């Protein structure tokens, strides 16, 4: 996860100063090296780093709200989760608005509908990221039912993990980053 160096606020808003992360975002890596997706091993390893970052972020009662390949940078020390510009504290009033914040194809259904944002919302986005890295394009709602046809070579356990991470109802979705990591075979 990117390091926060300083923070401030003024009449214009809140500001966060973070480390500059050198590397390439996973979206660019996918465009450059995807055939159409990345190798199973690379995709799982990149998402494992995302699970570690989200596990920490969620333990601090923060939800990222915009997990996607473009916000995960592969640098010298692995993948770093960046762009906390729309992150919010869990339970804040802004978690229950009518404005959906995030990137549509990676956004959990409850966020898209303006509902309550939770750690499970980030898990949906991380599962959509893994899907994208494997398949080459982000999932559409309902694609999970066609996963065996879209990626016939995926192990059944990984198909089940993706289905659990992309569950439409947050209360039925894999609930934590640690649980998602375990489901994809890389326990934290």
């Amino acid at each position: 996860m990117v390091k926060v160096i300083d923070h401030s606020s003024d009449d214009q808003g809140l500001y966060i100063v973070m480390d500059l992360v050198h590397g390439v975002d996973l979206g660019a890596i996918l465009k450059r090296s995807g055939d159409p997706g990345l190798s199973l091993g690379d995709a799982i390893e990149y998402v494992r780093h995302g699970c570690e970052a989200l596990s920490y972020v969620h333990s601090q009662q923060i939800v990222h709200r915009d997990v996607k390949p473009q916000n995960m940078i592969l640098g010298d020390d692995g993948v770093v989760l960046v762009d906390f510009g729309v992150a919010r504290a869990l339970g804040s009033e802004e978690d229950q608005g009518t404005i959906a914040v995030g990137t549509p194809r990676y956004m959990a259904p409850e966020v898209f509908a303006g509902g309550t944002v939770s750690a499970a919302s980030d898990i949906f986005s991380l599962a959509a990221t893994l899907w994208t890295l494997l398949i080459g394009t982000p999932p559409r709602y309902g694609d999970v039912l066609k996963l065996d046809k879209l990626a016939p070579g995926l192990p059944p356990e990984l198909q089940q993990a993706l289905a659990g991470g992309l569950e439409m109802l947050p209360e039925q979705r894999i609930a934590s980053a640690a649980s998602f990591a375990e489901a994809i075979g890389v326990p934290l």
Side-chain angles (χ1 to χ4, degrees), residues 24-91:
V24 180
D25 75 73
L26 297 185
I29 290 171
L30 181 63
K31 279 184 182 175
R32 184 178 66 217
S33 304
D35 187 25
L38 302 177
S39 74
L40 178 62
D42 284 348
I44 295 291
E45 180 62 14
Y46 298 156
V47 170
R48 180 184 66 79
H49 287 262
C51 288
E52 289 174 350
L54 285 178
S55 184
Y56 176 76
V57 168
H58 295 161
S59 76
Q60 301 302 303
Q61 300 302 301
I62 295 171
V63 65
H64 186 280
R65 299 197 319 167
D66 200 19
V67 177
K68 60 184 177 182
Q70 292 78 6
N71 286 340
M72 297 173 75
I73 307 289
L74 178 60
D76 294 337
D77 297 323
V79 173
V80 178
L81 182 62
V82 299
D83 193 359
F84 283 76
V86 296
R88 292 291 179 262
L90 286 169

Side-chain angles (χ1 to χ4, degrees), residues 7 11 41 83 114 134 140 180:
H7 59 87
D11 296 346
D83 193 359
L134 292 169
R140 298 180 192 275
F180 188 67

